[in-house]
Every structure is written in C-alpha cells, then in structure tokens.
Amino acid sequence: MTTRRTIAPEELDTLNLADPRLHAESDLSAVWRHLREHRPVHWNPATDTAPGFWAVTRHADVTSVYRDSARFTSEGGNVLETLLAGGDSAAGRMLAITDGARHAGLRRVLMSAFSPRVLEPIVESVRRTVTRLLGDALEKGTCDFAADVAAGIPLGSICDLLGVPDRDRAYVLSLTSSALGSHEADSTAADAWIAKNEILLYFANLARDRRDSGHADIIALLAGSEVNGLPLDDDEIMLNCYSLILGGDETARLSMVGAALALLDHPDQWQALKRGDAGIDTAVEEILRWTTPALHSGRTATTDTEVGGHPIKAGEIVTVWNASANHDERIFDAPGELRLDRTPNKHVTFAYGPHFCLGAYLARAEIGAVLAGLRDLVAEMEQTGPAKPVYSNFLSGPSALPLALKAA
Ligand code: HEM
C-alpha cells in the first residue's frame, strides 16, 4: 500500500499545482473532485517566480481544449515547466509543440514509423524482454519492479525504433530519468537542464552518423523525408528523436510500475486478471486510466475565448488535468474503483484530438505484455517496502517498488 497525505478542498487556496512535491507526496483526489464540482476552470495564482495559469478539470472541458489547437496552441510549450518559463525553444520544430500545417506534415512522416505493421517486430521483442526480465526476477525471488523489470522495456523499444546501439542504452536511460521527472525530492531544474542538453547532444551525433549510413530506423526516416516540400534539418531530427525518448520512456515505465502497485492494492482485481474474468485489452485501458502517468498538458490561448462558459484571455496559460478528467464522475461510473473489465473507458491518458499520443499503440502493447507476463508467470507477489514517488508536476507514479515474487 502507499500512504500519501490527503489534501482537503479547504486547503485549495494555499496550493500551487505547479509544485512537484504536492503531486508526489499527497493525494489530490478530493481536491480534483471539489474543483470539478464547484470550480471546474480554476485560476492557480502567480508566484514570485512564475505567472498564474488556468487549471481545467472536467472531462468535457479537457477534451474541448485538446480538440482545438487553433484557439489553444501548444507552440508556447505543452507542459507547465516550459509554459511557466516563458516558452519552449523547440516550438514549431518538435511535433508535440508544433501546430497547424507543419504539425500535420511532421505527424504524417512520423506516423509511418508507428503503424501496427511496422511495430510488429518491436512488439514481439517487448514480449520476449518481459518474459526474460520477469523470469530473472522470479529466479531471484525479489526485485525492484521499477529498476529491474519496467526500466528495461519502453526504452528498449524506443532505442530499437531509433537504432540506438546496445552499449549506449544504460547511459540514455540515466539521462531520461533526470531530464523529465525526478527520482529525488531535492534534484534541481539545473540537473534536468544538463540532462536534456546531453540527450540533445547524443542525438545530434547519432543523426550525423545516420544521415550517410543507410539505416532503416526513425532517424533515417526523418533524414530522408520532406515536410511541406522541405527536408528536415539536423536540429529537427534531433529534437524529434529526443521527444520520442522523453515522451515514451518514463510515461510507459510509470504505468507498468503503477500497474503492479494497483494489482497489489486490489487483490480482487489481481485474481480477476489471473482467472481471465478481465481480459488484457480492457485491463490495459483501466491501468492507463488508473495510473495517468502524464498528469496534465498545457496550452496558450491564442484569442479571447472561453472554456465551459468561463472566459479566458488571449495569451493566458491553460492547463488540462488528465488526472482529474480520468476520474470525472460525469463520464466514469464509480471512478474511484479499479475495474479491469471497465468498458467503455474514455480516458484521456493519451490526450485527445490533433496531438493524441503517437506512441499509444506501442505503449498499450508494452503494458499488455507486462500484464500478460504477470498473469501467466507470477503466482504471488508481495510488496516488501515502500514505493517511492517520482517528483514532478507532469509525471506521476512509483519510481521504485520492492517486491517478492513466486513463480506460477
Ligand atoms: C503525445 C501521453 C507513450 C510519443 C502525448 C500526449 C500525451 C501522451 C498526454 C499529448 C501531449 C499534448 O497534447 O500536449 C503518453 C503516455 C504514454 C505515452 C501516458 C505511456 C503510457 C508514448 C510512447 C511514445 C510517445 C511509447 C513513442 C515512442 C508521443 C509523441 C507525442 C505524444 C511523439 C506528440 C504527438 C503530437 O503532438 O502529435 N503522449 N504517451 N508516447 N506522445 Fe505519448
């Protein structure tokens, strides 16, 4: 079990939703429920160092913002970290923070590398990796499910997609952990900045090697493609590789570790999965809803407008909270219950609309492989120590989960 301090709605006016500690160390479900009911479009006030922003919490309002990239652009940044710092220098060049015709063109190029047919060998390799990592953990009898199992899965597939050599993978993993989330309460923005720059440098070098060497990976695909009649330059290739690794590694890892924790905390659902009362496909969707590894997305209003009837001024920052929308009682029956056979399940874990997660198929396959592996290979699992949270206002989930496992 995890114990986190429950924050009461009365404390709302003292909270800063941009504070990583708040999300790591407390349970905000009562606050989200209160906001959805009474203040669905909430103003998070400015601090000494950062501007204020809107926080949108109802599912219908969240999808209305996601849907409309003309009124709510991603080009000022798509997460609080960059929005509050005044923007993202990769805007207009990196897929997630590009809008309009350029976004559509770049997305078309990248989509071709993410079709189920192209991903099939990578998904096969994910299944083999899960079997191997769970097999090793079962042989030892104990593991840190985050470091020993989950960490080896998504980064491996992204590195396969990008053609990153085996010898560099541990190095790339260590950088992605410090660049996006943080496993330590006291790590600084400077640590994250250094790690991001090291990743960019790494991909710049890899892209330079790949341009001439006839590989069949995403770097080669980007290097050989045109968007709106123009080839991509080295910076654009490097930034889009970087975005795949940052967008697809830690998010998927956190949902896998969150899956194991959810099964430990809900023995009835673990048994339902083992008996086959809940199928893998619905279980994957419910785990995605339950874990919501990407807490929010952010936009900037391009014009004076409204969300759910609430006025928003041009230039204001609008954040949409997947963590709240995924528990909206207007959409989900008993949202506070984990139900692995839940259907329909209209979660917004992968966002919605034009920026819907490009890696959703791959992430679903990875989580499905982990759930199937646990169901088929593990008879019993027990938590042997506290789960450690990730410190971030964007990412959520356990960064460490000590377990004892028995083979089926
Ligand atoms: C976009 C979540 C896995 C690549 C997004 C967005 C979310 C998200 C919320 C929308 C961001 C926005 O609207 O500003 C997740 C979660 C994952 C996951 C929770 C795992 C459980 C992956 C994987 C990859 C990936 C495995 C690639 C290997 C991307 C890309 C975009 C994106 C490239 C930008 C799409 C666009 O702007 O058109 N993801 N993601 N994601 N994701 Fe994922």
Side-chain angles (χ1 to χ4, degrees), residues 66 74 77-79 94-98 103 107 110 114 154 157-158 161 240 243-253 255 288 291-294 296-299 322 348-360 362-364 366-367 394:
Y66 269 136
S74 301
N78 72 334
V79 286
M94 191 196 276
L95 185 70
I97 43 175
T98 299
H103 173 259
R107 191 166 163 109
L110 280 163
F114 281 88
S157 4
I158 300 167
L161 278 165
N240 284 291
S243 83
L244 293 186
I245 215 148
L246 291 186
D249 174 38
E250 197 154 14
T251 45
R253 266 194 278 151
S255 63
L288 283 162
T291 57
T292 315
H296 77 270
S297 299
R299 302 289 188 260
N322 305 322
V348 287
T349 298
F350 292 126
Y352 186 83
H355 288 283
F356 181 80
C357 177
L358 197 71
L362 180 57
R364 285 177 162 130
E366 290 169 350
I367 298 163
F394 168 61

Side-chain angles (χ1 to χ4, degrees), residues 21-315:
R21 278 181 185 266
L22 177 70
H23 298 280
E25 294 173 356
S26 46
D27 174 359
L28 289 177
S29 48
V31 170
W32 294 132
R33 199 177 313 115
H34 178 86
L35 286 174
R36 284 194 300 274
E37 194 54 36
H38 301 288
R39 231 193 281 176
V41 182
H42 161 71
W43 180 251
N44 190 93
T47 62
D48 291 345
T49 51
F53 57 89
W54 295 107
V56 178
T57 51
R58 280 190 189 165
H59 190 282
D61 295 338
V62 165
T63 52
S64 79
V65 172
Y66 269 136
R67 191 183 297 126
D68 194 340
S69 54
R71 278 193 305 149
F72 300 103
T73 181
S74 301
E75 296 206 346
N78 72 334
V79 286
L80 275 171
E81 190 194 344
T82 47
L83 282 160
L84 297 183
D88 193 320
S89 57
R93 293 182 297 158
M94 191 196 276
L95 185 70
I97 43 175
T98 299
D99 278 318
R102 183 141 193 93
H103 173 259
L106 192 52
R107 191 166 163 109
R108 212 170 303 121
V109 170
L110 280 163
M111 288 267 275
S112 60
F114 281 88
S115 73
R117 189 182 54 78
V118 175
L119 288 175
E120 202 40 50
I122 291 176
V123 171
E124 269 310 312
S125 131
V126 165
R127 292 191 190 115
R128 283 194 302 274
T129 307
V130 170
T131 306
R132 175 172 57 77
L133 294 172
L134 277 177
D136 292 350
L138 285 163
E139 211 175 291
K140 267 178 56 191
T142 57
C143 69
D144 171 358
F145 196 78
D148 301 331
V149 181
I153 302 162
L155 188 72
S157 4
I158 300 167
C159 288
D160 283 350
L161 278 165
L162 293 171
V164 173
D166 282 347
R167 62 175 183 277
D168 297 344
R169 293 186 180 198
Y171 169 68
V172 173
L173 173 67
S174 70
L175 293 180
T176 59
S177 298
S178 16
L180 199 61
S182 169
H183 295 184
E184 304 304 329
D186 56 358
S187 75
T188 62
D191 296 334
W193 188 84
I194 292 168
K196 272 183 194 169
N197 280 292
E198 285 185 36
I199 297 176
L200 288 172
L201 189 65
Y202 176 82
F203 281 111
N205 289 330
L206 201 61
R208 205 163 309 123
D209 288 354
R210 287 300 146 83
R211 263 206 196 277
D212 337 292
S213 58
H215 283 73
D217 48 55
I218 290 193
I219 300 184
L221 170 80
L222 287 168
S225 299
E226 292 189 344
V227 173
N228 306 336
L230 289 173
L232 298 168
D233 62 28
D234 282 356
D235 268 11
E236 287 168 315
I237 296 174
M238 163 182 97
L239 286 168
N240 284 291
C241 293
Y242 160 83
S243 83
L244 293 186
I245 215 148
L246 291 186
D249 174 38
E250 197 154 14
T251 45
R253 266 194 278 151
L254 290 169
S255 63
M256 290 168 196
V257 189
L261 190 59
L263 295 173
L264 285 158
D265 286 349
H266 299 84
D268 60 317
Q269 293 299 297
W270 171 223
Q271 289 313 318
L273 185 73
K274 283 198 80 65
R275 282 194 308 266
D277 294 347
I280 294 295
D281 289 354
T282 58
V284 167
E285 297 311 308
E286 181 67 344
I287 288 299
L288 283 162
R289 183 187 76 88
W290 191 254
T291 57
T292 315
L295 291 170
H296 77 270
S297 299
R299 302 289 188 260
T300 308
T302 54
T303 173
D304 287 354
T305 180
E306 57 79 35
V307 174
H310 190 99
I312 307 277
K313 291 203 198 75

